[in-house]
Amino acid sequence: MIIYHYQVLYFPRESLKPHSRTESSSKAAFLDHCETLWMRSAAAWRDAGLTGLLNEIANSSAEVPKWLSVSSGCVLALLQRISSFHGSLFPHLTLSSEDMIAEFSQVLKWSDCAVRAFAWHPHTDKFAVALLDDSIKIYNPKSATAPTLKHRLQRSVAAVQWKPLCASALAVACQNCLLVWHVDPCSLSTRPSSGCAQVLSHPGHSPVTSIAWSPSGSFLVSASPMDTNMMVWDVAAESCVPLQRVGGGGVTFLSWSPDGSHVLASTPAALFRVWETRMWTCERWPCLKGRCQSGCWSPDGSRLLFTVQGETVIYALTFTDTPGIPSNTKGPKAAAVVADLSETTFNTPGGDIVVGGEIQSLAWDPRGERLAVLLKGDPQARDRPAMIAVFKTRTSPIFELLPCGFVQGEPGTEPRLMQFHPNFQHGALLTVCWSNGRITHVPFYFLSAGMARHGLGGSPPQPRPEERPADYINQTLYTELTT
Amino acid sequence: MWQSVRKHCHFSCVLLICLKSHMKPRKVKLVSVNTSVRLSYHNTGYNIKAAASVAWAVLLLPPSIAVFVIISRVSLLHPIQWISECVSLLTSATAIFSFILLCGVVLIVGFLNLEYYTVIPSIACSKIALLGQLLHPRQFVSSLVHCILGVIVAWCCAVTIGGRYQTLGYPCTQADGSPQLCLNEYQVILLLAGAFVGYCHSVLGVIHNMNYVSFHTVQQYKYLRFKGSLPLVVKCSAIQALYSVRNYLVVYFFLGKCSLHPLDTIAGLLDFSLLYHLWISGTFLLFTWYITLLLFRIFVTEVYSFPVQSSFTEDVHQCLPKVLTGQQPAILKFLALHDLALLSQHSPSRRSEVFSLSQPGGHPHNWNAISQECLSLLADLTQRLVAHHDTVATNGRAKSLSTGSDKKSLSSESTEDVMTPRPSVLIKTPASVFLRSSVGSPLTVPFTPDLDSPFSSPALRRLAGPVEQCSPWHGTVQSPHIMRRGPKLWSTSTGERGLQNKTEHVIPIVDPCAIWANECQMFQIMTCNCSMLISQLLPEASSQALFADTQSHIWALEGLSYLVKASFSEDQFGVVQTTLPSILSSMLVLQEAVDRHFKLPHASSKPVRSTSSMEDSSYKTLRFALRATLKTAIYRITTTFGEHLNAVQMSAEHQKRLQQFLEYKE
C-alpha cells in the first residue's frame, strides 16, 4: 500500500496583498526640505546616475547659470532620443520591470497569479512556493514547520530554484537582485532571518527573470531582459563572470540541460542561443517568427524541445557531440517540428471545447517519458481555457511523441504553472499551480522503460489506481487516453 | 635583519644578472640536476606562455599608442588639422623610437610579472607583516624598476604630446642677457609623474596582492576572456591614474618648491591642459602595464592537459600522477590539479585511464597516486585547521599558524581515520609573498619572506631555519607561553598604528634610498620585539591566510568526488572501492574541521567586494568556496551511491554523519 502525503496547498488570491509600494512613491510622503544644489545633485547622481544629475540641474534653473541648465537640458533630450531609438530596436526595454517579468515569465499571467514561482527540491520531497505578497514558503512533508522567507530585496519573484547536491540553498530571482537563501533543514525557525540570504547583484542586471543552477551545483546562471550579459555566478565566492552577447538585446529564459553540458538562453528578439558549458561558447539560433518562449531538455541532455512565440508547434534540436571531447561537428543544422498543437475541437459531455494554440511552457519529466505542455488558451473566449496537454515520449531508439491526455482543474480555474517532481519513484508527478491559488499534484503511474539505466532500486512496484490518495480523485485525469 | 640587508645586496646583483638574461627559465637552475631535465619540459611550457603573453602585449602597443596620440591631441574645433597631425606624428621617427622604448618597457614589466607572480597569495596577518612586505629588498628593487620604467613611459608620452612637453631644456636668456639652457619644468613634472605613478603601482601591487594569479572557475577561451576584461582594465587604469595624479600633485606642490617656475603655485598647477595630459599619460602608463598583467594572468592560468599515462617510459614524468605527486613548482601542481578536476568531470576516456590497471602487474597505480595525493592534501588542510583551532582555543584569540612540528604531533594523535601522510610529503602551509612558485619547499612557514628566496638552496634554507627563530615571521617560537605574554606587553602599543595608513596617500616622492635607510632602522627596532607585534592581527586575515592555497584543495575535492561518482558506472576493476572509506572519512573529518573553523569570530564575515580594481581578490573568499565545494562533494558521493554506502566500513560516528547527508539534513 503506497500512499503519498504530498500536501495540496491553497493560497486564496484575496488573502495575499501585493506590494504596491515602490521606492519613488515613498519619497512623496516626506516633506521637501531645502538642500543646496550640491547636495541635491550629489543625491541625484547617487540615486539615478547621470540622467538624474542632468534632470536635477535642468530643473533648478533658478540656481544655476543659464548656460548650464540649458546645456544639461539638451544633453538630457539627446540621451532620451538615443534611448528611445534603442527602445525602438528592442521594444521590450520600454516595459516596466513588473511588466517585463510578466511578459517573459514561464508563469501564465504572472502579475495576478497568487503563486508566482514553484520549485521542488531536486533530491527530497520539499518544495518552495513564492507568493504574490513576495514571501516564500517552504513545505516539507517530514517537518511540521513551514518556514517563511522574507527579505527587503525580495520583490517580484520571477523564479526560484533549489541548488542541486545541497540540502539548504535556494536561489530566488528578484526584481533588483538574486537572493540565495540558506535554509537549514533541521532548524525549527519559521522565519529565518535575512542574514541567511546572500545577495547577488550586478549593476544593470535587473530585473532577473530566469535562473538556473548547474546540475553539479557549482554555478548559477541568471538572466535579465535588460542586460545583454548572462551572468555565471560562483555563489560561494559571490563573484560573477558576465558572458556578453549583444544580439537579442537581453536574455529572458534559461534552462540548463540535466547532464550539465548545455544551457538554453532565449532572448527577447527572434533569436536564442545554446551555450556549451565547457568553454562557454554559444551557437546562435535565429527563429523565423518570434522569440523562444520556453524550452526543456531530455534527461540525457541530447535533445532540446522548444517553442516559439506566435507558433503552435514544438521544435526539437538534437545534440550528439559528447561532452568533454571537443569536436568540430557542431550541433544540428536545423530544428525539426515534432508536434503540431494547432487548435482542435473536442466533443465532451460538457460541450465542445477548443484545445490548442500558443504554448506558454514545457516540462519534461526526469525520466523522459511524459511531456507536459501548458497551452495559453484564449482569455476572451469561454470555451478555450488554458490547459495542460500531456504527451508520452520516448527518446530511444527514435524520438517519439504520442498524445496522452489533458489535465484540467476545477471549473473556472486554469493552470498557471507546472513542474515535474524530480524523483518520483513510481512514474511521474506533475505539480500544477492553479489560478485560484491551489497547488495540486497529478501522478502518472507507469513502469519506466529506462529503469535499467538508473541501476538503483530496481523497478518500482506499480500501484493500482484505487491506491491513489483521495486528493487526486477529484482531478480529471486522462492518463493513457490516446486521442 | 642584517641577514636581510645582506641579502638585499646579494639580491640586487642577482637581479641585474637576471635582467640581462631576460626570459631564461631560471627555475631549472634551482632544482637538482637530476630533476632539472625532467622539469624543463613543463617549465619551458609555461615560460613560453609567459613569453606569448608579452608578445601579445607588444602587439597591442601600436593601437594603444595610436589611441593615446588621438586623445592627447584632441581639438574638436579643428578636426581636420587634428587628424592630419595625428597621422603625421604616428609615422614620424619619434613615434617609432617611442614604440621601441615602450616595447622594452613592456618586456621588462612582463619579466617582472613572471618573476613576482604567485598562485598562493601572501596574506599579511598583521600590519607589521604588511610593512615587512613593503620594505622587503625584493619589493624595493621592484619599486625602483617600476619608477624607472615610469619615467621612460612618461618621456615617451611627453615627446608624443609634443608642444611644451617636447624637450627637457630650452634656451633662455638670463638677466644679464647671456643665453643659457633652462630646465623645462613641464617635461620634468610629467617625468616625475611617471615615476610616481610607477612607484604607486608597485606599492599598491603589494598591498592588493596584484602578483596573485587566480584560476577562474568559468573556463573561457583566451580571446573572449581578454575581450571581457578589457573594459575593466581601461576603467581601472583611468581611475587609478586619477588618484595617483591627485596625490602626485599634492606631493609636488609641497616638495617642488626648489623650482623657479610658475608651476610651484596652486594656480600654476591647476592648469587644465596640464592636468589632462598628466592624467592621460598616467592612464596610458597603467593601461600598458595592466594589459601586460592581464595577458600574463590569462596565459599562465590557461588549462593545460597532462596525459594520464604514457606508453613511453621517457614521458612518464610528464604524466598527471607523477606531476601531482612530485616536488613541483606550485604553478605546475595547480595546473595538474585543475586538469584533474576537469578531466574527472568532463572526460570519460581520460577517466578510464585513471581507473585502469598497470600492464603488467595489474596495479591501479594511476588511481593510487592521484587519490593518495588528493587525500594527503585534504589531511594537510584538516590538520592545519585543527591546529589553528587549538591555538585559538588555548590562547583565547586567533594566532598565526603553528608549524610543522606541532602538526606532526597532531597528526599522530588524530590519525583515527585521517590518511597518514606519506613521509615524503611534508606539510605545506601557505607560502609567503616572496616564495615565488619555485620548488615546493618543505616546512615553509607563512610569513617567512626570506627563507624562501629562490636564491638559496633548500639545504641552506633548512640550515637557516633555526637561526631565524626570533624573526617575527617564524612560527616555531609561538609556543603558547610566549604568545600569551605577547598581548600583555603590547596591548598598549600604538607605535604601528601610524603605519597602517594605506600608503597611497602618504608616500612622498623623495629619494627612496633615504626612506629605505630610515625605515630600515625603524624596522630593525620593531623586528627585535619580534613575535610580540605579530599578535596585533588584522581581523579575518588569519582565516584568509589559513585558506590561502585552498584552490588546490577545492580541485582535489572536485576531482575525487567526480571520480568516485564516475566509478559507480565506469570503474571496471573496482579500484575505487578500496579507497572509498578513506575518501569519505577524510572528507567528513575535513567537514567537521571546517564547520568548527567557521564558528570562530571573523571567519564567516564576508570581505568587501571591490569590483573596479585590477586586484584579484578571489583569495579572500576561498574558504567559502571550499565549504560549499566540500558539502557538494560529499553530497555528490552520497547521491550517487545512496543506500550502498551503508555497506562501507566506517566508524560509527562517520556512519551517523553520512546518514545525515543521505537524508539531506546537512
Side-chain angles (χ1 to χ4, degrees):
Chain A
M1 179 83 181
I2 304 156
I3 290 184
Y4 303 102
H5 295 286
Y6 294 116
Q7 290 155 291
V8 171
L9 298 170
Y10 183 44
F11 302 103
R13 169 75 174 76
E14 302 74 41
S15 70
L16 302 167
K17 274 187 191 165
H19 278 288
S20 54
R21 167 183 63 89
T22 58
E23 287 290 325
S24 53
S25 71
S26 64
K27 221 180 225 175
F30 295 92
L31 283 176
D32 196 23
H33 78 120
C34 289
E35 282 176 326
T36 61
L37 180 66
W38 282 111
M39 297 291 282
R40 273 183 287 140
S41 303
W45 169 261
R46 199 183 55 233
D47 292 344
L50 182 65
T51 45
L53 179 67
L54 290 173
N55 224 340
E56 187 64 48
I57 294 174
N59 287 339
S60 48
S61 48
E63 296 167 66
V64 293
K66 192 160 188 294
W67 63 269
L68 191 61
S69 67
V70 168
S71 63
S72 62
C74 290
V75 173
L76 202 61
L78 191 69
L79 282 178
Q80 272 160 0
R81 202 55 71 76
I82 291 170
S83 83
S84 72
F85 174 68
H86 195 204
S88 69
L89 287 181
F90 299 109
H92 70 275
L93 295 178
T94 53
L95 295 173
S96 74
S97 3
E98 292 254 337
D99 292 344
M100 200 180 287
I101 297 174
E103 172 74 21
F104 297 115
S105 168
Q106 292 293 294
V107 183
L108 188 62
K109 297 173 194 157
W110 176 87
S111 3
D112 78 326
C113 196
V115 177
R116 291 193 149 175
F118 178 93
W120 278 107
H121 190 273
H123 309 289
T124 63
D125 281 339
K126 68 179 168 187
F127 57 86
V129 184
L131 300 173
L132 185 64
D133 62 352
D134 294 337
S135 68
I136 292 178
K137 284 185 160 41
I138 294 170
Y139 292 93
N140 189 348
K142 287 178 187 159
S143 142
T145 53
T148 306
L149 311 179
K150 284 188 182 175
H151 194 283
R152 188 174 51 87
L153 295 168
Q154 187 170 291
R155 282 195 281 145
S156 308
V157 176
V160 290
Q161 197 176 14
W162 292 91
K163 178 181 176 180
L165 298 177
C166 181
S168 58
L170 176 74
V172 183
C174 307
Q175 192 170 21
N176 294 317
C177 64
L178 275 166
L179 290 176
V180 180
W181 285 93
H182 294 270
V183 191
D184 184 357
C186 300
S187 160
L188 294 172
S189 150
T190 52
R191 267 299 295 273
S193 78
S194 51
C196 300
Q198 278 176 281
V199 181
L200 307 175
S201 64
H202 192 270
H205 194 69
S206 69
V208 182
T209 54
S210 188
I211 48 175
W213 283 97
S214 72
S216 64
S218 37
F219 299 117
L220 174 69
V221 290
S222 68
S224 166
M226 291 292 279
D227 192 1
T228 51
N229 288 313
M230 178 173 94
M231 296 291 167
V232 184
W233 294 91
D234 183 348
V235 173
E238 294 188 7
S239 63
C240 70
V241 178
L243 299 172
Q244 188 166 41
R245 295 291 184 280
V246 178
V251 186
T252 56
F253 171 70
L254 295 170
S255 171
W256 207 308
S257 72
D259 68 335
S261 59
H262 293 93
V263 177
L264 164 74
S266 62
T267 68
L271 166 80
F272 69 93
R273 295 191 176 82
V274 179
W275 292 84
E276 59 83 27
T277 58
R278 185 81 197 276
M279 295 305 282
W280 291 101
T281 53
C282 65
E283 288 174 18
R284 273 168 61 102
W285 283 92
C287 308
L288 285 178
K289 232 173 162 180
R291 66 185 157 86
C292 171
Q293 166 65 31
S294 181
C296 63
W297 293 88
S298 66
D300 60 351
S302 64
R303 190 165 276 110
L304 167 69
L305 300 185
F306 67 93
T307 63
V308 171
Q309 200 187 34
E311 290 187 54
T312 59
V313 294
I314 301 175
Y315 291 98
L317 279 175
T318 316
F319 296 86
T320 43
D321 51 331
T322 47
I325 302 165
S327 56
N328 294 325
T329 55
K330 285 277 175 165
K333 292 279 170 281
V337 176
V338 291
D340 188 351
L341 297 172
S342 43
E343 292 177 4
T344 323
T345 311
F346 286 91
N347 294 313
T348 60
D352 288 359
I353 54 165
V354 181
V355 174
E358 277 197 51
I359 297 157
Q360 176 69 23
S361 67
L362 296 173
W364 209 338
D365 97 273
R367 293 167 205 238
E369 307 224 2
R370 292 291 182 279
L371 177 75
V373 181
L374 176 52
L375 299 161
K376 274 181 187 172
D378 188 348
Q380 265 74 49
R382 257 202 85 253
D383 61 339
R384 291 172 57 196
M387 196 179 268
I388 295 174
V390 182
F391 293 83
K392 275 210 286 192
T393 54
R394 192 187 296 167
T395 45
S396 65
I398 52 159
F399 181 69
E400 280 181 358
L401 194 76
L402 298 168
C404 173
F406 300 104
V407 176
Q408 255 188 332
E410 297 162 17
T413 62
E414 54 180 17
R416 290 289 168 85
L417 168 64
M418 58 179 189
Q419 191 175 44
F420 275 105
H421 189 292
N423 44 16
F424 185 66
Q425 291 294 313
H426 312 284
L429 182 75
L430 182 68
T431 302
V432 186
C433 307
W434 301 93
S435 55
N436 60 353
R438 197 176 279 276
I439 299 175
T440 60
H441 308 281
V442 184
F444 300 86
Y445 294 109
F446 56 86
L447 258 182
S448 173
M451 254 343 255
R453 190 182 56 222
H454 294 281
L456 278 177
S459 61
Q462 189 174 28
R464 280 165 292 158
E466 64 266 24
E467 285 172 348
R468 286 177 192 167
D471 290 338
Y472 305 132
I473 288 171
N474 60 0
Q475 301 294 337
T476 322
L477 181 69
Y478 301 98
T479 308
E480 307 291 331
L481 177 77
T482 311
T483 49
Chain B
M1 185 58 232
W2 288 117
Q3 193 183 355
S4 76
V5 171
R6 258 185 285 124
K7 195 157 280 172
H8 168 217
C9 307
H10 166 70
F11 185 87
S12 34
C13 302
V14 174
L15 200 109
L16 282 178
I17 298 164
C18 291
L19 287 175
K20 278 176 199 159
S21 59
H22 272 289
M23 305 297 286
K24 256 183 212 166
R26 211 170 36 72
K27 252 157 233 161
V28 179
K29 294 181 215 153
L30 293 174
V31 291
S32 63
V33 181
N34 188 20
T35 50
S36 68
V37 184
R38 291 179 177 185
L39 284 182
S40 59
Y41 172 79
H42 294 305
N43 271 316
T44 38
Y46 68 77
N47 279 344
I48 286 171
K49 280 185 185 173
S53 77
V54 175
W56 275 107
V58 168
L59 279 180
L60 284 170
L61 265 182
S64 41
I65 292 176
V67 170
F68 172 72
V69 166
I70 291 168
I71 293 177
S72 67
R73 303 209 149 204
V74 66
S75 66
L76 289 173
L77 299 177
H78 310 283
I80 296 166
Q81 192 192 351
W82 169 32
I83 300 294
S84 62
E85 264 183 17
C86 289
V87 171
S88 65
L89 182 68
L90 284 173
T91 48
S92 69
T94 339
I96 291 163
F97 182 63
S98 303
F99 172 68
I100 293 167
L101 268 183
L102 288 173
C103 285
V105 170
V106 166
L107 279 176
I108 296 172
V109 170
F111 170 75
L112 286 176
N113 287 340
L114 177 67
E115 192 66 19
Y116 280 72
Y117 83 99
T118 170
V119 288
I120 302 168
S122 70
I123 291 146
C125 276
S126 61
K127 285 142 202 168
I128 195 79
L130 185 63
L131 188 74
Q133 288 179 9
L134 282 175
L135 298 181
H136 192 276
R138 226 175 123 79
Q139 174 54 32
F140 172 70
V141 172
S142 157
S143 302
L144 192 67
V145 174
H146 275 109
C147 275
I148 296 166
L149 296 180
V151 172
I152 296 172
V153 177
W155 185 81
C156 294
C157 291
V159 294
T160 317
I161 298 170
R164 53 185 179 175
Y165 307 100
Q166 186 86 45
T167 51
L168 190 58
Y170 63 94
C172 59
T173 47
Q174 263 184 327
D176 58 352
S178 58
Q180 198 196 1
L181 204 62
C182 294
L183 192 66
N184 178 6
E185 197 174 350
Y186 285 104
Q187 197 185 23
V188 171
I189 197 170
L190 202 58
L191 296 187
L192 287 179
F196 185 82
V197 175
Y199 184 73
C200 283
H201 171 79
S202 144
V203 167
L204 285 177
V206 173
I207 294 170
H208 292 156
N209 264 318
M210 212 83 96
N211 61 342
Y212 168 57
V213 174
S214 76
F215 287 78
H216 282 254
T217 42
V218 175
Q219 299 300 309
Q220 274 181 287
Y221 287 109
K222 290 193 291 263
Y223 166 68
L224 292 172
R225 177 161 290 169
F226 176 75
K227 204 178 80 175
S229 314
L230 197 59
L232 180 72
V233 171
V234 174
K235 195 175 137 198
C236 287
S237 39
I239 291 172
Q240 189 55 49
L242 201 62
Y243 283 121
S244 298
V245 166
R246 181 196 68 186
N247 300 336
Y248 166 69
L249 287 178
V250 172
V251 171
Y252 188 86
F253 178 71
F254 285 113
L255 298 179
K257 284 289 179 193
C258 52
S259 63
L260 304 165
H261 288 274
L263 287 181
D264 61 345
T265 63
I266 292 179
L269 277 175
L270 286 180
D271 171 1
F272 178 75
S273 142
L274 177 71
L275 293 183
Y276 176 70
H277 284 134
L278 282 179
W279 176 61
I280 283 291
S281 309
T283 308
F284 176 71
L285 180 153
L286 288 174
F287 178 75
T288 49
W289 293 2
Y290 281 153
I291 281 288
T292 318
L293 180 65
L294 174 73
L295 285 165
F296 178 77
R297 284 179 183 171
I298 290 174
F299 273 81
V300 164
T301 56
E302 198 194 3
V303 177
Y304 187 90
S305 186
F306 294 85
V308 177
Q309 59 184 9
S310 168
S311 38
F312 303 103
T313 43
E314 62 265 30
D315 294 341
V316 164
H317 61 272
Q318 297 168 12
C319 292
L320 190 62
K322 284 276 181 284
V323 178
L324 275 177
T325 49
Q327 290 281 308
Q328 306 282 6
I331 178 84
L332 261 190
K333 207 147 194 170
F334 270 58
L335 283 172
L337 280 165
H338 193 193
D339 188 38
L340 173 71
L342 289 175
L343 87 85
S344 66
Q345 199 174 348
H346 295 296
S347 172
S349 57
R350 293 176 72 202
R351 277 199 301 258
S352 71
E353 289 181 53
V354 173
F355 298 139
S356 68
L357 298 181
S358 66
Q359 214 51 263
H363 294 288
H365 289 308
N366 293 336
W367 165 252
N368 283 346
I370 289 172
S371 62
Q372 295 302 309
E373 178 61 27
C374 292
L375 285 177
S376 75
L377 273 173
L378 299 188
D380 163 34
L381 181 65
T382 311
Q383 285 158 20
R384 208 192 290 166
L385 289 176
V386 170
H388 178 77
H389 200 271
D390 288 354
T391 324
V392 175
T394 51
N395 208 19
R397 52 186 296 174
K399 286 285 154 344
S400 66
L401 316 173
S402 64
T403 49
S405 56
D406 290 345
K407 279 178 193 156
K408 262 181 241 158
S409 64
L410 273 163
S411 74
S412 56
E413 281 160 24
S414 63
T415 45
E416 182 184 75
D417 18 43
V418 184
M419 292 294 297
T420 40
R422 285 155 301 140
S424 65
V425 179
L426 286 155
I427 290 135
K428 279 159 262 163
T429 46
S432 75
V433 210
F434 302 104
L435 165 63
R436 34 167 301 144
S437 43
S438 57
V439 215
S441 55
L443 281 176
T444 51
V445 190
F447 335 121
T448 49
D450 282 340
L451 275 183
D452 308 297
S453 157
F455 303 102
S456 57
S457 75
L460 194 80
R461 253 174 272 156
R462 232 168 280 131
L463 282 177
V467 182
E468 287 233 334
Q469 285 246 328
C470 81
S471 106
W473 302 286
H474 204 283
T476 35
V477 286
Q478 289 158 21
S479 77
H481 306 289
I482 295 179
M483 291 319 294
R484 225 169 282 143
R485 215 170 52 217
K488 274 185 215 154
L489 281 172
W490 286 86
S491 52
T492 52
S493 90
T494 50
E496 71 279 22
R497 284 282 152 74
L499 300 166
Q500 75 192 47
N501 299 348
K502 297 283 178 187
T503 50
E504 186 187 336
H505 309 284
V506 293
I507 302 295
I509 179 117
V510 288
D511 183 8
C513 286
I515 306 179
W516 172 246
N518 276 331
E519 306 276 60
C520 256
Q521 285 182 347
M522 197 165 68
F523 187 47
Q524 202 177 356
I525 296 164
M526 288 179 176
T527 330
C528 292
N529 302 311
C530 42
S531 59
M532 287 80 172
L533 274 176
I534 206 163
S535 62
Q536 296 243 328
L537 293 172
L538 297 170
E540 200 197 319
S542 67
S543 198
Q544 279 176 20
L546 206 57
F547 289 94
D549 63 341
T550 283
Q551 186 64 61
S552 61
H553 305 109
I554 291 173
W555 285 325
L557 280 168
E558 282 187 352
L560 274 182
S561 64
Y562 276 113
L563 283 174
V564 169
K565 182 192 173 197
S567 79
F568 191 75
S569 52
E570 294 176 15
D571 179 14
Q572 296 171 353
F573 307 107
V575 296
V576 174
Q577 275 182 31
T578 52
T579 350
L580 191 56
S582 49
I583 290 175
L584 280 171
S585 21
S586 65
M587 282 184 181
L588 289 173
V589 170
L590 181 58
Q591 160 84 12
E592 209 174 311
V594 169
D595 276 354
R596 273 175 71 192
H597 180 82
F598 271 91
K599 293 200 174 100
L600 295 177
H602 296 304
S604 50
S605 56
K606 294 256 176 190
V608 190
R609 265 187 297 163
S610 58
T611 47
S612 59
S613 156
M614 276 299 281
E615 171 193 6
D616 197 335
S617 57
S618 57
Y619 64 89
K620 289 181 183 167
T621 50
L622 275 177
R623 60 184 185 281
F624 300 103
L626 177 89
R627 183 173 60 166
T629 311
L630 179 58
K631 222 168 225 183
T632 308
I634 301 176
Y635 270 122
R636 189 167 290 134
I637 296 175
T638 56
T639 310
T640 313
F641 282 76
E643 295 301 317
H644 297 277
L645 285 180
N646 294 331
V648 175
Q649 290 282 318
M650 271 196 303
S651 70
E653 195 193 330
H654 284 163
Q655 286 280 10
K656 209 174 130 197
R657 201 81 205 270
L658 217 51
Q659 197 57 38
Q660 293 280 311
F661 276 95
L662 281 167
E663 289 169 9
Y664 292 93
K665 283 188 174 164
E666 272 297 318

